[in-house]
Amino acid sequence: MTVADARPLALDDWFVRDLGGLYRPWQAAPAPSPELVALNEGLAAALGLDAAALRTPEGVAVLAGAAVPAGATPVAQAYAGHQFGNYSPRLGDGRALLLGELLDADGGLRDLHLKGSGRTPFARGGDGKAPLAPMLREYVIGEAMHALGVPTTRALAVVTTGEEVVRETVQPGAVLARVASSHLRVGTFQYAAATQDADLLRRLTDHAITRHHPHAADAERRALALLEAVVEVQASLIARWMTVGFIHGVMNTDNMTISGETIDYGPCAFMDAFDLSTVFSSIDHGARYAYGNQPRVAAWNLARFAESLLSLIGSEIGGDAERAAELASEVVSSFGERYTRHWSAGLHVKLGLDDEQPELVQDLLELLAAQHPDHTRFFRALSTAARGDAAPVRDLVIDREAVDAWLDRWRAALDAQGRPVEEVADAMDRVNPVYVPRNHLVEEALAAGVAGDLEPFHRLVDVLARPFEERPGLEEYAAPAPGGSAAYVTYCGT
Ligand code: AMP
Ligand code: MG
């Protein structure tokens, strides 16, 4: 099969046909000598793509943006956004292109998008490029999130371009081929609303409903129903982040999807020691996007989403602006209750609890906040405690009496459920991972990759693909950084 027959060429242009006004047709910058660094064979298969064809020079050229698949209309998407609370009316894809949509093996529509493919009309002062390390980071963290069951965009491939990119260091330039259920963001709606073109906002809303929240199509108040659907998927998403200890790091409204997928892995990281105030990002001086702030920030972003829909919500109820604001505000306010429901349900499953035990869960959270055990290891060790050996849990805390007291209550609650302990412990092991992308391991893999050795990167990706299955010989992947990671800092990677 040649790449001309391969599926990347069978791209749809639904976004382009539907949403004139929200993009600029654009071409990628030429890549002098594109080279495939990583190809996600599992994802390629799920997309019905021929991995062998993607590895040919023609396939690599498509993944680098150097060749446009026949019939495709690459575009830079327009969006606005609140960055760290400040509104920018015109962000958009400064260094990225949407190539088009393709159907995956299950019949779902997926965006194929390139990041690092050169300057676009939205580039402002940026060079349009992406260094290799952050693109590899996006690949590895996205795959880890996917394997952990967290909705996410995913990397199909990373290609080096043959150019150098200058940041703090000089790195190989790279293009990430990214797959997402769409790239519609809260910021896309903010942009559309700011144009004051009611037809554009209506088309965008209809497109988003058809694509992501089709049940809202039958609602009497469609824009309000879309708002509610997005509030719900985001409440669920953020709860998933919190249960795995994921810190996004740059939850600007342009980095929040309408689909409910995690997007834009910049200065993100997994928390080691449990601490609500954990921040890794070098640019997050005010700790706005700290681990424990994420639910609050999501609600704030959703309020911005609601504002962008207000005119439509108003027109759906006969033009009563005040009532529209009330209705929208009610829906946004429901985030707290929805989030708490998802978060609590997630914690109960992690703890093997069938029935609601709010006090037990609350007391555990207080214990974690006071004792700062390694988040991932603590939850994983609980299944061993359920099986009768509390030592691995006790080893992670300073105040062992406090943890013993909690463990006694917890085991009593498990006993009262009447399910065999082994069954409960096995179920816990299916939701509490052994392996998460530990910051020091990610850094090591990226540094080696930039120096030309991709082996540690591929090995890490392999380990993280099966996070719940403890395997001998992989102990170092389950351990925190040798000297602790208190001083760990992530950079935005632009
Ligand atoms: P991000 O922080 O990656 O979500 O990006 C925020 C905005 O900055 C988006 O509009 C990006 O397209 C733009 N941007 C980031 N890096 C670059 C770059 N190197 N060149 C041009 N635009 C960029
Ligand atoms: Mg972004």
Side-chain angles (χ1 to χ4, degrees), residues 79 83 90-96 115 118-120 122-131 167 185 250 252 254-255 264 266-267 283 492-494:
Y79 48 85
Q83 300 179 304
R90 194 171 184 270
L91 291 169
D93 289 334
R95 54 163 173 175
K115 180 165 171 179
R119 299 189 81 239
T120 76
F122 302 104
R124 292 165 291 153
D127 63 2
K129 296 176 186 174
R167 297 289 184 267
R185 309 147 189 265
V250 58
N252 296 334
D254 52 305
N255 291 337
D264 273 358
I283 55 170
C492 215
T494 54

Side-chain angles (χ1 to χ4, degrees), residues 380-393 407 410-411:
R380 182 70 184 197
L382 283 175
S383 63
T384 308
R387 292 181 182 106
D389 177 8
V393 172
L407 285 173
W410 172 63
R411 275 189 297 235

